[in-house]
Amino acid sequence: MSDTPARLLALLSLLQTPREWPGSELAERLEVSPRTVRRDIDRLRELGYPVQATMGAMGGYRLIAGKAMPPLLLDDEEAVAIAVGLRMAAGQPVDGMEEASVRALAKLEQVLPARLRQRVGALGAATVSMTVSMTAANGPSVDPQNLAVLAWAAANRERLRFDYQANDGSRSSRLVEPYRLVAGGRRWYLLAYDNDRDDWRIFRVDRLSAPRPTGVRVALREPPEPDAAAFVTRKMYSIIPTYEVRATLRLPAEEVIRRLGASPGDVRPVDGHSCELHGHADTLEWLAARLLMLGCEFEVHDPPELLAYLRAVGGRAVRAAGV
């Protein structure tokens, strides 16, 4: 590598991998002498990159935390992942995150190559978020490349084929017209028109594989509801067992919304110190845990199953405390 700027960038890219690099290995990777590697390390230090050197047979070079964050080198997938994460953070009600996310996103998108900017834009335009009360704390992993393909098809109104595994384990091939991706915590759903079944369907993205654009563009169909996230949420409630909770909480409404991440429509103020909660959950354990973790007095009105569960939990807690 005779081009010094290109060699420095290649060296920096290697050092940003969290490991210690022997000088001999860096020299071999860059096809230069160990002496050139030492000079290039000094150049990076002059530019503000905190490169630490350790001596001995097991020694080498690595980046350490410095006083300021120097520029990062990202590959295509890393750049897309960060940009999409910033887009979602900018639209979420997290204190102090919106403005910082927008600023960081603007800086990143300014330097993204056109091909990556299109991928990020397609994924952002095709994605909406469900209310937090329906999201899963944990969920299966989703292939980001599949998300990008689905988002691109939705943004460009292109029919798509993919293989799908249903809840009962059966497999099928689907031909659909993607409309929106709906993000629910770590779980993603695709709302699409199923051409073979002549109806709208909701697909779990972690259960689909090998999405293949067909190249066929179609006119935008009238969605079942204008709000794709609300439609998916309602459908989820209709197909899984859920409990509807109604409780009075001795906590201001805005504080309940902040702690639970609940939709403002699920919390109605009673006065300045209490409120009523109306919500859903698919397990009594989840409902009870969320209410108890609020750290306030509360009174459950419905469902009766939750009252019985809380009595059982309370009894175990009292026995455990030796009271």
Side-chain angles (χ1 to χ4, degrees):
M1 259 194 183
S2 58
D3 185 342
T4 300
R7 191 176 65 246
L8 286 175
L9 288 174
L11 174 59
L12 181 57
S13 179
L14 292 172
L15 290 174
Q16 285 181 348
T17 302
R19 55 162 290 193
E20 194 161 274
W21 290 88
S24 57
E25 186 175 350
L26 290 174
E28 182 180 353
R29 290 287 192 101
L30 299 174
E31 300 179 350
V32 296
S33 68
R35 182 180 178 183
T36 300
V37 169
R38 289 194 294 271
R39 286 203 304 262
D40 287 346
I41 291 292
D42 289 338
R43 291 189 180 101
L44 289 179
R45 288 169 175 162
E46 291 171 1
L47 293 172
Y49 291 92
V51 183
Q52 183 183 66
T54 55
M55 306 300 291
M58 302 299 292
Y61 300 99
R62 65 186 181 93
L63 277 177
I64 61 173
K67 295 181 180 179
M69 190 180 77
L72 298 176
L73 290 179
L74 305 171
D75 62 27
D76 286 6
E77 296 303 321
E78 292 168 344
V80 170
I82 291 176
V84 170
L86 289 171
R87 275 183 178 268
M88 298 190 71
Q92 298 300 317
V94 180
D95 289 343
M97 287 290 291
E98 302 96 325
E99 185 180 349
S101 298
V102 169
R103 290 200 311 270
L105 180 61
K107 293 178 181 179
L108 182 58
E109 289 192 334
Q110 184 178 4
V111 297
L112 282 178
R115 67 182 188 283
L116 300 184
R117 195 178 300 115
Q118 290 175 348
R119 288 175 58 185
V120 171
L123 190 50
T127 302
V128 292
S129 297
M130 295 166 63
T131 56
V132 177
S133 58
M134 271 295 294
T135 64
N138 297 295
S141 60
V142 173
D143 186 340
Q145 183 61 35
N146 286 352
L147 283 176
V149 173
L150 296 173
W152 181 260
N156 291 275
R157 302 175 187 172
E158 182 175 349
R159 281 182 181 165
L160 190 75
R161 289 190 181 276
F162 54 77
D163 302 322
Y164 192 70
Q165 180 177 342
N167 190 41
D168 60 5
S170 61
R171 295 180 177 274
S172 59
S173 178
R174 300 298 184 97
L175 176 65
V176 306
E177 298 171 14
Y179 175 66
R180 285 287 187 275
L181 284 167
V182 178
R186 292 192 59 192
R187 188 161 288 171
W188 291 76
Y189 301 91
L190 172 68
L191 175 60
Y193 187 84
D194 192 319
N195 294 98
D196 294 328
R197 289 154 182 79
D198 196 25
D199 198 7
W200 289 90
R201 290 288 190 271
I202 299 169
F203 301 95
R204 283 235 325 240
V205 175
D206 59 285
R207 290 180 178 169
L208 65 82
S209 59
R212 306 175 294 280
T214 64
V216 177
R217 301 289 181 90
V218 294
L220 180 64
R221 292 182 184 270
E222 187 70 24
E225 289 184 17
D227 188 336
F231 176 75
V232 171
T233 301
R234 183 171 57 81
K235 283 293 185 182
M236 292 298 102
Y237 282 141
S238 69
I239 62 177
I240 60 176
T242 59
Y243 297 93
E244 183 172 355
V245 62
R246 185 171 62 88
T248 299
L249 311 176
R250 310 304 177 194
L251 202 64
E254 60 273 14
E255 186 64 16
V256 171
I257 293 171
R258 187 185 68 82
R259 295 188 189 182
L260 286 182
S263 168
D266 294 338
V267 182
R268 185 177 66 84
V270 174
D271 52 40
H273 307 285
S274 61
C275 63
E276 285 190 1
L277 172 69
H278 296 263
H280 300 78
D282 56 356
T283 67
L284 294 173
E285 294 83 358
W286 176 249
L287 273 175
R290 295 305 299 275
L291 290 173
L292 291 168
M293 288 172 62
L294 283 172
C296 69
E297 296 293 324
F298 63 90
E299 180 183 358
V300 173
H301 308 294
D302 284 306
E305 296 90 343
L306 179 58
L307 288 167
Y309 181 79
L310 286 170
R311 292 190 192 100
V313 170
R316 289 198 298 271
V318 168
R319 291 190 293 273
V323 178

